[in-house]
Amino acid sequence: MKRLLVAGVSVAFAIALGTGSAVAADKKVLAFVVNGASDFWKIAEAGVKKAQGELPNYDLQLKYPEQAAAAVQQRMMDDLVAAGAAGIMVSAVDPKNQVEHLNKIASQALLFTTDSDAPNSKRIAYIGSSNVDLGKDAGKLMLKALPNGGKCVGFVGLPGADNARERIEGVKETIKGSKVELVDVRGDEIDQTRAKRNVEDILAAMPDISCMVGFYSYNTPRIYEVLKEAGKLNKIQIIGFDEDPITLGGVKEGAISGTVVQQPFEWGYQGMKLMAKYIEGDKSGVPANGIIIVPGKVIDKTNVDDFMASMKTMLKK
């Protein structure tokens, strides 16, 4: 299946999207609805802000549901449509069970998905990572970190979301037949306290564990914190996803083997521009299969300094 690749540079920190209160009433609203509160989305927010500077005839908004629950997210999208939003790009909390509601939204506004796709819905396009490929990259990091094999446990926010399921699938495919095992994956519903407690519970229950994998952006920092508190850094291997500052710091110091980063900045920037063009009648940016892949990248100790420098440069622009 042919996929359209969108190039770009991912960033780690972001400034809040400033959408002034005095927005002209005739501006069409395009909204980016995320799946929960996480600093990861601040990166996408910076991309939305850049797009806003290039789309003066639109009001671009990034919305955080107060809770990582499908019902809360759905209510937020209903409110946006009721207020006249022309387009919504969403990272669905529970894509399989939200199809009916997503189709309802798609009948009233342009619908894109990002981060976690809902391919069975009537969304026009998905823009984001190939989560299976990201998982394969993480699996390769696991094999490299554990040449003699070992037991690993993963931690993730929403186990039912496509992004989580596909990353886990990619990991399992890559380590299949090796002596590295992914013996369990613990979910936390994007609850930071629960995320940390999950790591503590595994550390207590599995003294023979060899590595921990953080599948969501905040999971790796929680793993790092717990292992540091327990004096287990460099004794248990850590594999991460995304570019949280704690994660990058851990990679730099060698406590984290590596992290697989995405480009949420481009999701926000390219996604908003593509939606605006589609609304205006230009559908050339959306391939026939509706899948727009933004490539990821593996960050380890050999390239973490360059990666961090490139992010700082972008943030100054």
Side-chain angles (χ1 to χ4, degrees), residues 191-267:
D191 181 327
Q192 300 285 328
T193 301
R194 184 176 167 188
K196 187 173 182 181
R197 187 170 63 247
N198 281 347
V199 181
E200 293 168 341
D201 290 348
I202 287 294
L203 192 60
M206 297 181 62
D208 61 339
I209 190 170
S210 299
C211 85
M212 294 184 172
V213 184
F215 283 101
Y216 273 14
S217 61
Y218 60 85
N219 288 122
T220 309
R222 301 296 82 77
I223 293 169
Y224 177 90
E225 291 166 357
V226 171
L227 294 188
K228 184 176 183 179
E229 291 167 3
K232 296 286 188 178
L233 284 180
N234 297 309
K235 297 178 181 178
I236 295 175
Q237 299 297 322
I238 305 173
I239 308 299
F241 278 80
D242 303 316
E243 56 279 76
D244 185 277
I246 293 175
T247 299
L248 293 177
V251 172
K252 183 177 175 65
E253 70 183 54
I256 296 175
S257 298
T259 186
V260 183
V261 301
Q262 304 179 82
Q263 299 196 67
F265 181 93
E266 294 299 328
W267 306 349

Side-chain angles (χ1 to χ4, degrees), residues 106 109-113 121-126 278 283 286-292:
L110 177 65
L111 180 67
F112 276 31
T113 54
S121 72
K122 294 180 180 178
R123 58 96 171 114
I124 296 298
Y126 165 78
Y278 200 95
K283 302 179 181 181
V286 177
N289 67 357
I291 299 174
I292 303 164

Side-chain angles (χ1 to χ4, degrees), residues 32-290:
F32 191 135
V33 179
V34 306
N35 58 10
S38 169
D39 285 345
F40 172 78
W41 291 116
K42 295 295 182 182
I43 306 169
E45 202 166 348
V48 174
K49 183 176 181 181
K50 180 180 178 182
Q52 180 68 82
E54 299 177 19
L55 298 170
N57 295 324
Y58 290 84
D59 173 18
L60 308 186
Q61 303 176 8
L62 191 139
K63 297 288 188 179
Y64 290 88
E66 65 269 21
Q67 182 182 350
V72 175
Q73 189 181 61
Q74 289 169 187
R75 187 169 63 248
M76 178 174 284
M77 288 191 285
D78 284 338
D79 290 345
L80 283 163
V81 170
I88 293 175
M89 185 162 67
V90 61
S91 174
V93 171
D94 186 3
K96 287 185 176 60
N97 295 314
Q98 284 180 266
V99 171
E100 183 177 351
H101 185 266
L102 290 171
N103 288 344
K104 175 187 171 186
I105 297 298
S107 71
Q108 302 171 77
L110 177 65
L111 180 67
F112 276 31
T113 54
T114 188
D115 182 45
S116 184
D117 195 11
N120 294 323
S121 72
K122 294 180 180 178
R123 58 96 171 114
I124 296 298
Y126 165 78
I127 179 169
S129 303
S130 165
N131 285 291
V132 172
D133 288 347
L134 296 179
K136 289 179 179 179
D137 286 337
K140 292 173 185 176
L141 284 172
M142 293 163 68
L143 292 173
K144 184 177 180 181
L146 299 169
N148 298 316
K151 295 179 180 178
C152 301
V153 172
F155 303 89
V156 71
L158 302 167
D162 279 5
N163 60 352
R165 180 183 56 77
E166 291 172 0
R167 289 176 194 183
I168 294 166
E169 176 187 325
V171 164
K172 288 182 176 179
E173 183 178 335
T174 301
I175 65 175
K176 185 178 180 179
S178 75
K179 293 181 179 180
V180 176
E181 300 176 83
L182 183 66
V183 297
D184 194 7
V185 178
R186 297 291 178 93
D188 56 58
E189 303 303 318
I190 313 187
D191 181 327
Q192 300 285 328
T193 301
R194 184 176 167 188
K196 187 173 182 181
R197 187 170 63 247
N198 281 347
V199 181
E200 293 168 341
D201 290 348
I202 287 294
L203 192 60
M206 297 181 62
D208 61 339
I209 190 170
S210 299
C211 85
M212 294 184 172
V213 184
F215 283 101
Y216 273 14
S217 61
Y218 60 85
N219 288 122
T220 309
R222 301 296 82 77
I223 293 169
Y224 177 90
E225 291 166 357
V226 171
L227 294 188
K228 184 176 183 179
E229 291 167 3
K232 296 286 188 178
L233 284 180
N234 297 309
K235 297 178 181 178
I236 295 175
Q237 299 297 322
I238 305 173
I239 308 299
F241 278 80
D242 303 316
E243 56 279 76
D244 185 277
I246 293 175
T247 299
L248 293 177
V251 172
K252 183 177 175 65
E253 70 183 54
I256 296 175
S257 298
T259 186
V260 183
V261 301
Q262 304 179 82
Q263 299 196 67
F265 181 93
E266 294 299 328
W267 306 349
Y269 176 63
Q270 299 285 358
M272 292 295 108
K273 294 189 70 177
L274 281 170
M275 283 204 296
K277 286 182 178 180
Y278 200 95
I279 287 171
E280 292 164 6
D282 181 357
K283 302 179 181 181
S284 62
V286 177
N289 67 357

